Amino acid sequence: MDIFFEVPKDVKITSPSTDKLYDVIIAGSGPAGMTASVYCSRKKLDTLLITKDVGGQVVWTSGIENYMGYQYITGRDLSEKFYQQIEQFPISLLKDVGPCHLEKLENKFAVNCGEKKYYSKSVIVATGKRNRELGVNGEKELLGRGVTYCSVCDAPLFKDKIVAIIGGGNSALTAAIDLISYASKIFIINILDNLQGDEVFLDKIKNSNKAEIILSSEVSKIKGTEKVEGITVKNRKTSQIREIELDGVFIEVGLMPNSEFANNLLNMNDQKEIVVDCNCKTSIDGIFACGDVTAVLDKQIIIACGEGAKAALSAYRYLLGIK
Amino acid sequence: MPLLDDKVKESVKTLLSVLTRNVKLIVFTQEKECSTCMDAIVLAEEMAALSGKISIEKYDFGIDKNKTDQFKIDKVPSFAIIGATDSSSSQWKDYGIKFSGIPAGYEFTSFLNAIKMVSLGNSELSQKTKDALKTINKPINIKIFVTLTCPYCPTAVMLANRFAFENDLISAEMIESAEFTDLAKKYNVYGVPKIVINENIQFEGALPEDLFLAKILSA
């Protein structure tokens, strides 16, 4: 990876206030939340953006080749560009916060972040998704000892080591690409009969001559005492068991919505994704949702951005109606 | 060859324009068997060129024994960040803040914030944390193993640096795992950030202020 120098992002944006009633609070600052912030600001809505960390999942993505306008851009650079865009507007930002919860009060909403509460007339939920756990023996015990969910963070630690990536979607394939420059051998183990990720990623992986792809198989155990020493893989069709000795396990088996923020308040599907209509309205007037936390089928950066814009414009129309 | 491009330089210059007291970057390198030592010197020189408040001192790990002992340097390249304690720079203070390896990537944020903290004299920790840190009466060494591509890691490094700033018995060292592979192996670093406190407490992940503090208090 090319050397880069990340400069702190705290130059222009104003501090949040617990004393005022914002027009809109946006929860989450991935592509959906940041796009919604730009649209809200351009409508001159008094906007507070609350987020755990700036950027969302896109920051963990090594390379992006399907965001229009860029033939190739790193996740970090795209996120930086999004942030530079919201910096142009006078929004308030609350970052590095722990879990917050949304409450519906009479004629307004409150976002409760532990010791402090923030109030608004409308809310846009853009809290995204987080990594799903595999749920097998050894996963929790060996986390940080060879089991990891962050390939972009931990790939450099596996130089000349043997690793496995569990999963077959784009996240798994980009993890494999992150590891090509470091690991000596990469197993890609998927529960389905094929890999669902983009062909273009697959070509890069195959050309590396480092990868062995094991399909229709599941990992039943991650073995090791002080650190990862191996995995047990079971073929779902033949029930054949294979023991593989290795040093690292990268888990990329999908994502879970961060919808706890609005628990017991909004209609959700059985995967706990927030159900929205085609204008990003949720089951409660004044609350809108966009991006990966919603039941919108495809989880893509460009789709999250579009949904963020729609949610902001819907919130604007809602606010015009109640003013 | 320059490390910082013009755009980064411009942003850094703006960020460093708020510095008040003088800051010194003390760089330890050696000529042989150190592939990044030259980059360390270039980075320090480029930083000094971006702010009149920053100066540098360069020492050779093998030759300048007094200085390596004074700053407890055991690897290269390594940076110690010290600050003037008054506006006339008559006295300098070592806060025990070190960066081993090149603080590039996401760690550049930690590096810049350490310089700012030392110059502005404010750790920005809560009063509750500052009071708790005052009760520490034995040496505490915090090693934070990172990779330069880890967006979580600066949170842990910056917090450890803030703790070091508040209590002279606490020292904090960022260690770039890909540069010091033997050390990463010794401490079983398979996930970052990995924090080692006084050799006996180890954990992975960027903990919030109160939980990180509790780990230090239990060391």
Side-chain angles (χ1 to χ4, degrees):
Chain A
M1 181 173 285
D2 290 338
I3 198 163
F4 67 95
F5 290 85
E6 176 80 1
V7 181
K9 298 168 180 167
D10 56 358
V11 192
K12 290 173 191 163
I13 285 173
T14 59
S15 299
S17 165
T18 51
D19 301 328
K20 66 195 286 188
L21 181 64
Y22 287 96
D23 287 329
V24 59
I25 290 178
I26 299 168
S29 69
M34 287 208 263
T35 307
S37 301
V38 168
Y39 273 75
C40 286
S41 304
R42 286 175 57 85
K43 292 291 185 188
K44 299 223 166 161
L45 300 181
D46 198 359
T47 305
L48 169 62
L49 176 61
I50 295 180
T51 187
K52 187 177 160 205
D53 38 30
V54 175
Q57 298 165 63
V58 66
V59 176
W60 320 111
T61 310
S62 308
I64 296 158
E65 294 175 345
N66 54 5
Y67 190 82
M68 294 307 289
Y70 300 99
Q71 288 176 23
Y72 175 87
I73 186 164
T74 65
R76 187 185 57 80
D77 284 348
L78 186 60
S79 171
E80 177 70 27
K81 285 180 186 297
F82 287 167
Y83 190 81
Q84 283 167 358
Q85 199 154 346
I86 66 167
E87 259 196 326
Q88 306 303 313
F89 300 99
I91 68 158
S92 298
L93 175 67
L94 176 66
K95 61 177 181 176
D96 301 328
V97 288
C100 299
H101 292 98
L102 178 59
E103 297 169 9
K104 185 180 180 336
L105 308 175
E106 199 178 338
N107 300 325
K108 64 180 177 184
F109 300 98
V111 175
N112 186 341
C113 297
E115 290 172 0
K116 290 183 176 170
K117 272 190 184 184
Y118 302 88
Y119 300 93
S120 64
K121 297 174 199 165
S122 67
V123 174
I124 296 173
V125 184
T127 44
K129 287 197 162 189
R130 63 178 182 278
N131 285 313
R132 186 184 294 280
E133 292 173 1
L134 194 57
V136 299
N137 261 347
E139 181 180 11
K140 280 200 168 72
E141 296 81 352
L142 294 164
L143 180 62
R145 288 167 177 76
V147 173
T148 172
Y149 301 89
C150 183
S151 61
V152 72
C153 304
D154 296 337
L157 305 171
F158 291 86
K159 191 166 168 46
D160 303 327
K161 308 268 189 198
I162 301 170
V163 300
I165 295 160
I166 320 300
N170 274 342
S171 303
L173 300 191
T174 49
I177 290 166
D178 287 341
L179 280 153
I180 283 171
S181 343
Y182 301 103
S184 58
K185 181 167 176 92
I186 303 165
F187 291 94
I188 301 174
I189 300 162
N190 196 23
I191 200 162
L192 301 178
D193 298 342
N194 55 3
L195 297 174
Q196 312 95 284
D198 293 346
E199 289 291 334
V200 66
F201 291 143
L202 205 51
D203 289 346
K204 277 186 195 168
I205 293 163
K206 283 179 178 165
N207 289 339
S208 76
N209 293 324
K210 284 187 175 182
E212 179 179 337
I213 296 164
I214 304 174
L215 298 173
S216 315
S217 298
E218 59 190 4
V219 173
S220 55
K221 190 178 181 184
I222 302 171
K223 298 181 290 183
T225 45
E226 292 297 305
K227 61 185 185 69
V228 167
E229 290 162 13
I231 52 173
T232 305
V233 181
K234 184 183 173 187
N235 187 300
R236 285 159 61 86
K237 289 180 175 167
T238 64
S239 294
Q240 196 179 357
I241 301 283
R242 179 173 171 189
E243 305 287 349
I244 301 174
E245 283 185 18
L246 45 70
D247 308 285
V249 180
F250 288 72
I251 297 173
E252 300 285 354
V253 289
L255 302 160
M256 295 167 67
N258 295 316
S259 54
E260 298 88 348
F261 172 74
N263 252 359
N264 306 323
L265 207 54
L266 304 177
N267 281 354
M268 296 183 195
N269 65 11
D270 55 3
Q271 291 171 60
K272 293 279 176 196
E273 292 170 331
I274 299 170
V275 176
V276 289
D277 72 6
C278 61
N279 293 311
C280 300
K281 287 183 183 173
T282 68
S283 52
I284 291 184
D285 274 354
I287 304 179
F288 306 86
C290 51
D292 283 9
V293 76
T294 68
V296 169
L297 196 59
D298 292 307
K299 313 301 181 191
Q300 296 289 317
I301 298 167
I302 200 158
I303 292 173
C305 290
E307 293 287 304
K310 281 165 60 185
L313 295 172
S314 290
Y316 175 66
R317 277 190 295 272
Y318 168 79
L319 289 165
L320 281 182
I322 63 166
K323 266 180 184 169
Chain B
M1 205 176 90
L3 285 177
L4 307 178
D5 65 30
D6 289 346
K7 201 175 134 220
V8 170
K9 276 183 184 168
E10 205 49 48
S11 306
V12 172
K13 210 171 179 176
T14 309
L15 272 165
L16 298 180
S17 65
V18 301
L19 299 189
T20 51
R21 290 178 185 165
N22 287 336
V23 176
K24 211 177 273 185
L25 304 179
I26 305 185
V27 196
F28 293 87
T29 59
Q30 67 188 18
E31 268 188 34
K32 288 179 185 168
E33 293 172 4
C34 176
S35 60
T36 57
C37 278
M38 191 46 77
D39 284 343
I41 291 171
V42 171
L43 179 62
E45 286 172 346
E46 289 185 10
M47 295 293 290
L50 293 171
S51 169
K53 300 283 183 189
I54 298 177
S55 57
I56 58 172
E57 280 180 22
K58 294 178 270 188
Y59 295 107
D60 187 292
F61 182 64
I63 298 168
D64 301 305
K65 276 296 280 175
N66 286 348
K67 288 291 175 184
T68 52
D69 290 348
Q70 183 188 339
F71 289 98
K72 300 185 178 67
I73 301 297
D74 56 8
K75 57 185 91 58
V76 285
S78 202
F79 298 79
I81 299 177
I82 69 168
T85 54
D86 54 30
S87 53
S88 61
S89 299
S90 58
Q91 285 198 317
W92 293 85
K93 182 169 176 179
D94 173 17
Y95 293 94
I97 297 171
K98 281 189 292 192
F99 288 81
S100 293
I102 302 293
Y106 285 107
E107 286 314 314
F108 194 50
T109 289
S110 310
F111 191 58
L112 286 170
N113 279 335
I115 291 170
K116 264 177 79 176
M117 177 175 68
V118 166
S119 177
L120 301 178
N122 182 2
S123 70
E124 294 179 2
L125 289 169
S126 70
Q127 193 54 48
K128 205 169 141 190
T129 303
K130 286 180 186 174
D131 292 342
L133 289 169
K134 279 180 194 148
T135 65
I136 291 172
N137 54 15
K138 64 172 185 181
I140 300 280
N141 173 259
I142 312 169
K143 294 181 181 69
I144 313 102
F145 287 90
V146 302
T147 61
L148 302 182
T149 50
C150 162
Y152 291 115
C153 292
T155 307
V157 173
M158 290 190 286
L159 205 42
N161 288 345
R162 288 180 182 130
F163 293 152
F165 180 85
E166 287 294 336
N167 187 322
D168 293 348
L169 289 168
I170 304 175
S171 57
E173 181 181 10
M174 179 220 81
I175 301 171
E176 210 275 273
S177 307
E179 172 89 36
F180 301 103
T181 48
D182 288 348
L183 211 54
K185 195 175 172 187
K186 179 185 167 187
Y187 287 99
N188 290 319
V189 180
Y190 292 103
V192 286
K194 170 143 187 177
I195 293 97
V196 180
I197 304 170
N198 278 7
E199 306 294 317
N200 57 347
I201 293 181
Q202 302 193 6
F203 59 93
E204 290 88 16
L207 295 181
E209 187 175 315
D210 52 341
L211 297 181
F212 199 156
L213 175 70
K215 295 274 188 192
I216 288 176
L217 294 173
S218 68

